[in-house]
Amino acid sequence: MPGPVCPLPVDGLSRFMPMYLLLDGQGTILSVGPTLARVLDGIPPPGARFEDLFEVRSPGGAMTVAEVLDRAGQRFRLMPRNRSKIGLRGVGMRLDEGRLILLNLSFGIDLIAAVRKFSLSDADFAATDLAMELLYLAEANAAVTRELRALNLRLEGARMAAEEEALTDPLTGLRNRRAADLLLERLCAAKAGFGLLHIDLDYFKKVNDSLGHAAGDHVLATVSRILADQIRADDCAVRIGGDEFVVIIVNRTEERVLRTIAERIIARVSDPIDAQGSEVRISASVGIARSVDLTPCEPARILAEADRALYAAKRAGRGRAVLLAPQGN
Amino acid sequence: MDALMLRSLQGYIIDTFGTSVWQAVCRRAALPGETFEPMLRYASGTADRVARHAAEVLGRPVETIWEDMGTYLVTNPDNDGVRRLLRFGGMGFVDFLHSLEEMPGRARLALPDLEMPEVELRELGPDRFEIRCRSEPGGMTSVLVGILTAMADDYGVLCLIEPGPLGTIQVKILDCAHSAARRFDLARPDH
């Protein structure tokens, strides 16, 4: 045989290859490395054979270690028969003119599961093994992924808050004009039936002029709470500017229902409001429009229709709700 | 690196001194918000600047704050991750010290664009080492002192860790088996 021969005692084998398996030429196990012994639930009993301990996963059809070496060429895959379900891969060769067979096994991708299952420590791996680096990398990656996921959640939360803010009237907490436009677009596009109340406060300017803006803001906040109380979750109460509000009632187009809601709002708004010690009395005029009276129903058209009804309500003496007959359809 | 240091500083100050102290630091540093994201980028120099304000608010030297933060990173019971990643570096404390030079390479495996400090270890004697840490932000050397102190404890090693001349760290090991090392399972405990 060309080249130097390296006589390596068994304790040296354990150090270089803690998962070695040494067999005689007939496939009887002579000794195993310390880490492989843990995988096999202990050192195999004397006389144990390769095929008693391992199921060969590749090369296909091989059962004995001789068949493995004859068919595999370089690499083979094994599964211990002890139901640990930890796949092993290995290389092997015949030594001493076929009187000995040396295999060296490793965990491959099952490393992390094996470490957990057999409580392995760094002393169970050869100093040159990259197992530590692989475990380190898996853990570092998990940490990075966790951070990124947390970052995504925080950014998504911030985005939702910003979106909410962009659709909210800061003074009253009701929806704003932009939110109303988006909802009307959506309802009209879906050809959904809905009612729209255009509300204008009566005598509000007087409050602002005589008691100041703080009292005026308080009145607006009170009215907003009344509107929010009168609608269901799917409906939408909007402050579209100054003392003007719009309420969109989704899926209701009956005149009786819309009129009832409008009159309830007027009644509640007409109750005296305590604004910083002064009792304030205002009222509201409401113009009602319905999607079913317009074909096609478009946001601008239904807003104009409600505005026309509101104007009629104001002219008729305020504190009332008006629904006009549809105009020349 | 600034992002990781800022996030750590935020966690350390909030956990140790309370949210109101952190808010005071942020106000003093005229920061636009009160939260740093470890995975985002911040202008280089931000970490050192915020730490200087923290030093003024807390009335203690900035080096002490960075050192204590380094210790907090390793010992904080709510987050065992840093300690575990560091423990993968070596079986014993000396082995761990030698792994410090690999730190940039290890970090790049997980975060390829992270600029980690260059660490150089010189063995002055069997139990004496000199560590040189070249990095932006400047506080990194102090953070490393805090981390080393906590890791020595983790490995159960008694040693003297002090800032030395020219930004070096001097490590003198007095007793390699001073106390029991904290347990370290290769498998992550939480699943």
Side-chain angles (χ1 to χ4, degrees), chain A residues 112 115-116 120-123 125 132-133 135-144 146-148 151 154-155, chain B residues 7 35 37-40 81 84-86 88 90-91 102-103 106-107 109-111 186-191:
Chain A
I112 293 169
V115 163
R116 189 174 300 281
L120 299 178
S121 77
D122 41 9
F125 296 96
M132 289 298 123
E133 279 71 15
L135 292 168
Y136 166 85
L137 184 57
E139 222 167 297
N141 269 332
V144 170
R146 246 193 334 270
E147 279 302 337
L148 286 175
L151 172 64
R154 288 192 289 266
L155 290 180
Chain B
R7 177 59 168 213
T35 308
E37 287 296 345
M39 293 289 154
L40 299 184
R84 287 190 53 79
L85 290 180
L86 289 170
F88 273 112
M91 284 178 79
E102 301 171 354
M103 220 160 62
R106 285 174 173 271
L109 279 177
L111 281 173
L186 292 185
R188 217 166 83 210
D190 59 5
H191 65 159

Side-chain angles (χ1 to χ4, degrees), chain A residues 2-52:
Chain A
V5 173
C6 163
L8 191 62
V10 162
D11 65 326
L13 268 183
S14 292
R15 203 150 104 217
F16 283 97
M17 302 183 253
M19 292 181 70
Y20 81 86
L21 186 64
L22 191 64
L23 309 107
D24 68 17
Q26 282 68 52
T28 302
I29 291 170
L30 299 175
S31 79
V32 302
T35 306
L36 184 59
R38 297 183 65 166
V39 175
L40 298 174
D41 304 322
I43 296 169
R49 294 186 55 80
F50 173 85
E51 54 270 29
D52 299 335

